[in-house]
Amino acid sequence: MLLLLGGLALTVLLLLDGFAHGAVGEAPHEERPGRAPAAVTGGGPVLSLADGTPRSLRMPSKTIALTFDDGPDPRWTPRVLEVLRRRGARATFFTIGAHVAEHPGLTRRILREGHEIGSHTYTHLDMASAPAWRNGLELDLTQRALAGAAGVHTRLMRMPYSSVPDGLSDAEWRAARRAGEDGYVVVLTDRDTEDWARPGTAKIVESALAAERRGEGAVVMLHDSGGDRTETVAALEQIIDRLAPRGYRFTTLTGALAMPSAEVPVPAREKAVGWTLVTAQRAASNLTGTLALLFGATGVLYAARLAMLLVFAHVHTRRTRGRSRRRPRSAGAPAPAGLPPDPFPPVSVIVPAYNEEAGIAATVRSLVDTDYPGTVEVIVVDDGSSDRTSEIVTSLALPQVRLIRKANGGKPSALNAGVAAAATQTLVLVDGDTVFQRDTLRHLVAPLADPGVGAVSGNTKVANRGGIIGRWQHIEYVIGFNLDRRMFDVLRCMPTVPGAIGAFRASVLARVGGVPGDTLAEDTDLTMAICRTGLRVVYEEKALAWTEAPSSLRQLWRQRYRWCYGTMQAMWKHRRSVVERGGSGRFGRRCLPYLLVFQVLTPLFAPAVDLFVLYGLAFLDPSAPLLMWTAFAAAQTAAGAYALWLDGERLRPLWVLPLQQVVYRQLMYLVVVQSVVTAVLGAGLRWHTIRRTGTFADVPDVPAAR
């Protein structure tokens, strides 16, 4: 529910900001067919329709009403106000409601310094082409923004894209008449300086002083927003300095025409409603700015991470190829002086099983059918299953397989029970839904011949990759998990030996207190504890394990929710490693910040960034987000192809990668968001079991990579 409300609030704010900034600044005036009535086009620039009959008014002689459109603007409005203050002039500002909401302090300053405010719609809408309901909404929102920012409504209104009365088209007249019937005084202009086009200071001054010699009054149109207004500010100084000595006065529209004040105080209720709008608009404006920064930062981070993964994958590949040239000696041969002990010692394979009847037979058979030169015992620990898991294991009647039954206590307790019953010092921990290839044990155990290695991570493969969800997980396992493990191997800071396939020294497990049961990611917790001992945890890409991945979005969500929440628990549990010395400190300073940035913080903000991309496509120049997304997808595809090639996999599944970016990736992000919310709220999360479909039940042979 919190995620839904947060996403809804974010979406509403982005839509509000997109609506508010859908149109910005002036544009050339388009000629429209039809003309307003002659009484209007031949009259003055100020129109009143209070009783339904249009009456136009003109400025008295030597009276100038300086009007400024499109503000308030945090850069240019203060400069205009300063010029007016120094010269003792008053003006009328036709403000855009969205700008009023974003800069309420400037709005109050305009009024405080003796100027008046009119409405210029909320988004600079072309009222002549908009439906009547939209025009009404724009004017109403502007009034609410003024109420929230300054506690007033206004009687004045100027239509965006309007100019002199003689240019008023029939469509513009209809919009103006509707506004007049609603009580607005509609203001056009005598002298449109077109300063928005930046024609030069001299040209702006010339347009404003067109009737200087005749001493006529005028409504002069200028702009204090919508672009660079350096020429406008300079021209304003010259206009006042040139006309003031000739007896001209510069005042507000209502002051010049002896009309009631433009501003009408509003009651407290209107102020409260307006304050809500102002607050929401300011939040929306700040949000888009923040998201723009996050968008750029996320792009840089992902590009750096991708490049780093590829570099370390290349380094890891060169190292492993170098090691593969040094073939291990045959089993039972005496160890020459100075060399490690037998690389193929007796092995105990421990399989925790809870309601694994769908695939336990395939798992056990694959563990027994091995080319491992040493002795292998398989210990299946039935953790209180309510199905036929125990009966199936017993019916296999395999001499090297032992079955231990215990009351349900969770996976860590089942693993520890198996460890306690093991007869060897080399332990392999395997999930009950996982199948090994014949050479998997041999490759998995071989790195333990190095006494500096405490544990080995195998290469987990998705077996049920037939559907779209399976393909997505297959790509994720190869590109995400295994590329990460290659990097962690090189940096000697492996955070996770997956529960599906891992080899451990029994002495190391005893040293760290066995498999921990106080987090939901016992494999990550255990691996971090081993790394903190200073022993290496390595990745063996040739040790393949085929696992059954969740086959539905619901099952996938439950699994990843547990993984993510458990990983954060483990990170918090081992946070002290960041400041420790030696191997523990190396692990903490290299691994935990990486996990924090790329598995917690970046996914946490990613949904908001994705919403901003949609915002950019809808309301901004779509080329930038499209270009960045395309570049990111291309880089991901190239990295995916390289990762699949390293693992000896076919490239065909890459066709689902673009779709993965817009569906699967967002699902994983939401998992992180929910996990963080759960952690912040202090709510506990229980173990979520995944329903197995028996991927290996009817498959006699294990699939093999090319």
Side-chain angles (χ1 to χ4, degrees):
M1 181 59 72
L2 287 176
L3 290 180
L4 181 62
L5 292 176
L8 180 61
L10 188 64
T11 302
V12 168
L13 288 176
L14 286 175
L15 289 176
L16 177 61
D17 191 75
F19 168 75
H21 298 96
V24 181
E26 278 291 347
H29 182 68
E30 297 180 3
E31 291 293 332
R32 291 184 172 89
R35 281 289 175 266
V40 174
T41 58
V46 182
L47 299 174
S48 173
L49 294 93
D51 56 0
T53 302
R55 293 195 303 272
S56 63
L57 302 172
R58 296 182 184 275
M59 289 293 106
S61 62
K62 290 194 173 184
T63 301
I64 300 295
L66 296 169
T67 62
F68 296 88
D69 292 1
D70 296 352
D73 181 278
R75 180 178 181 187
W76 299 108
T77 302
R79 296 180 64 175
V80 168
L81 290 173
E82 185 61 24
V83 172
L84 296 172
R85 185 191 64 80
R86 289 200 306 265
R87 286 160 175 79
R90 299 290 181 268
T92 302
F93 290 80
F94 288 96
T95 55
I96 293 176
H99 294 177
V100 169
E102 290 173 7
H103 310 293
L106 269 179
T107 305
R108 291 189 292 270
R109 178 181 172 183
I110 290 172
L111 296 175
R112 187 170 60 248
E113 296 186 5
H115 310 290
E116 68 183 0
I117 283 180
S119 172
H120 203 46
T121 75
Y122 198 78
T123 68
H124 202 273
L125 177 73
D126 185 355
M127 297 179 67
S129 60
W133 69 265
R134 174 70 186 275
N135 289 341
L137 174 65
E138 293 266 338
L139 294 175
D140 182 65
L141 287 175
T142 303
Q143 295 284 32
R144 294 185 184 280
L146 286 170
V152 298
H153 283 169
T154 180
R155 293 188 173 99
L156 302 180
M157 188 275 291
R158 172 177 281 164
M159 297 184 297
Y161 308 103
S162 64
S163 183
V164 296
D166 185 51
L168 202 65
S169 69
D170 183 58
E172 290 171 326
W173 163 241
R174 288 196 300 270
R177 185 176 59 195
R178 285 193 295 267
E181 291 171 352
D182 288 338
Y184 287 97
V185 174
V186 180
V187 181
L188 301 172
T189 186
D190 290 305
R191 300 171 192 168
D192 185 357
T193 64
E194 295 189 353
D195 62 326
W196 54 267
R198 285 180 283 185
T201 300
K203 180 65 175 176
I204 296 172
V205 173
E206 179 185 348
S207 299
L209 303 181
E212 172 189 2
R213 294 180 181 177
R214 297 193 297 270
E216 297 175 357
V219 176
V220 178
M221 181 188 288
L222 298 160
H223 294 80
D224 63 330
S225 185
D228 188 338
R229 295 291 172 247
T230 303
E231 294 176 359
T232 300
V233 174
L236 176 63
E237 294 177 336
Q238 295 184 31
I239 292 168
I240 298 175
D241 291 346
R242 186 165 168 177
L243 292 181
R246 297 174 61 86
Y248 280 82
R249 66 187 183 116
F250 298 87
T251 185
T252 62
L253 273 164
T254 58
L257 298 173
M259 297 172 62
S261 172
E263 292 81 35
V264 181
V266 298
R269 180 179 176 277
E270 286 293 325
K271 289 182 181 180
V273 174
W275 178 87
T276 302
L277 175 62
V278 168
T279 302
Q281 184 63 66
R282 296 189 74 185
S285 181
N286 293 333
L287 176 66
T288 53
T290 302
L291 289 181
L293 292 176
L294 282 176
F295 181 67
T298 300
V300 171
L301 280 175
Y302 270 115
R305 175 178 182 257
L306 199 58
M308 185 168 58
L309 287 175
L310 294 178
V311 168
F312 281 112
H314 177 70
V315 173
H316 182 269
T317 301
R318 293 188 62 181
R319 288 186 181 182
T320 54
R321 287 177 180 175
R323 287 199 299 264
S324 65
R325 297 191 185 99
R326 300 189 293 273
R327 299 176 61 88
R329 58 192 176 85
S330 60
L339 290 183
D342 185 356
F344 302 115
V347 171
S348 297
V349 183
I350 301 166
V351 186
Y354 175 73
N355 290 346
E356 297 284 1
E357 67 176 8
I360 191 64
T363 297
V364 173
R365 287 195 184 103
S366 74
L367 297 174
V368 173
D369 183 20
T370 177
D371 65 2
Y372 184 73
T375 303
V376 177
E377 69 166 350
V378 178
I379 303 174
V380 179
V381 183
D382 185 348
D383 190 38
S385 298
S386 58
D387 63 1
R388 299 179 57 252
T389 298
S390 292
E391 288 81 350
I392 292 173
V393 174
T394 301
S395 67
L396 294 176
L398 297 171
Q400 61 269 61
V401 177
R402 280 197 289 160
L403 174 65
I404 298 176
R405 292 184 177 90
K406 62 180 290 293
N408 181 257
K411 184 179 178 181
S413 71
L415 287 169
N416 286 325
V419 170
T424 73
Q425 291 299 304
T426 301
L427 307 175
V428 173
L429 309 186
V430 182
D431 283 343
D433 61 343
T434 302
V435 168
F436 278 15
Q437 297 187 167
R438 296 196 74 245
D439 61 352
T440 298
L441 275 177
R442 177 163 49 85
H443 290 301
L444 183 65
V445 173
L448 291 177
D450 182 348
V453 174
V456 183
S457 167
N459 187 348
T460 312
K461 298 284 187 178
V462 174
N464 52 329
R465 59 178 74 170
I468 187 72
I469 297 177
R471 287 190 176 94
W472 282 340
Q473 292 178 86
H474 165 50
I475 290 177
E476 181 186 26
Y477 271 60
V478 174
I479 299 177
F481 299 163
N482 290 337
L483 274 185
D484 274 345
R485 289 194 180 102
R486 294 174 192 273
M487 179 188 68
F488 290 136
D489 190 355
V490 174
L491 293 177
R492 301 182 64 176
C493 60
M494 187 77 65
T496 304
V497 173
I501 175 171
F504 303 84
R505 297 184 187 277
S507 59
V508 174
L509 288 183
R511 180 176 173 182
V512 298
V515 180
D518 54 346
T519 65
L520 290 180
E522 83 294 330
D523 48 4
T524 299
D525 192 354
L526 173 62
T527 308
M528 289 183 176
I530 294 174
C531 286
R532 293 181 70 181
T533 67
L535 292 171
R536 290 176 55 207
V537 179
V538 300
Y539 172 62
E540 178 48 66
E541 60 180 328
K542 295 180 181 178
L544 301 181
W546 298 84
T547 189
E548 179 182 341
S551 56
S552 69
L553 289 178
R554 177 180 175 82
Q555 295 291 322
L556 178 64
W557 178 279
R558 295 177 69 180
Q559 181 197 64
R560 299 310 171 85
Y561 186 22
R562 176 176 62 82
W563 283 7
C564 182
Y565 188 83
T567 298
M568 289 193 296
Q569 285 180 311
M571 291 169 61
W572 181 254
K573 180 178 177 179
H574 296 282
R575 65 190 182 279
R576 292 290 303 171
S577 62
V578 175
V579 297
E580 291 173 347
R581 296 181 178 180
S584 178
R586 178 179 62 243
F587 160 77
R589 286 184 288 275
R590 293 179 181 179
C591 182
L592 293 187
Y594 178 88
L595 295 180
L596 179 64
V597 171
F598 292 108
Q599 292 195 21
V600 179
L601 296 181
T602 305
L604 187 63
F605 294 107
V609 174
D610 289 341
L611 279 177
F612 178 74
V613 172
L614 296 178
Y615 166 87
L617 293 175
F619 299 109
L620 304 176
D621 181 2
S623 58
L626 277 177
L627 180 62
M628 186 168 180
W629 188 89
T630 303
F632 177 72
Q636 281 283 90
T637 303
Y642 180 61
L644 290 169
W645 175 78
L646 286 179
D647 266 22
E649 295 279 1
R650 298 181 184 275
L651 303 183
R652 187 179 304 168
L654 283 176
W655 71 267
V656 303
L657 191 58
L659 186 60
Q660 185 191 45
Q661 301 303 311
V662 297
V663 179
Y664 185 83
R665 187 166 57 94
Q666 280 68 25
L667 179 67
M668 296 300 100
Y669 291 160
L670 292 177
V671 166
V672 176
V673 173
Q674 183 172 355
S675 300
V676 171
V677 170
T678 303
V680 170
L681 295 179
L685 180 64
R686 62 184 180 85
W687 184 280
H688 286 161
T689 58
I690 305 300
R691 185 175 63 84
R692 305 301 179 191
T693 59
T695 297
F696 304 111
D698 300 317
V699 182
D701 297 319
V702 177
R706 288 190 301 113

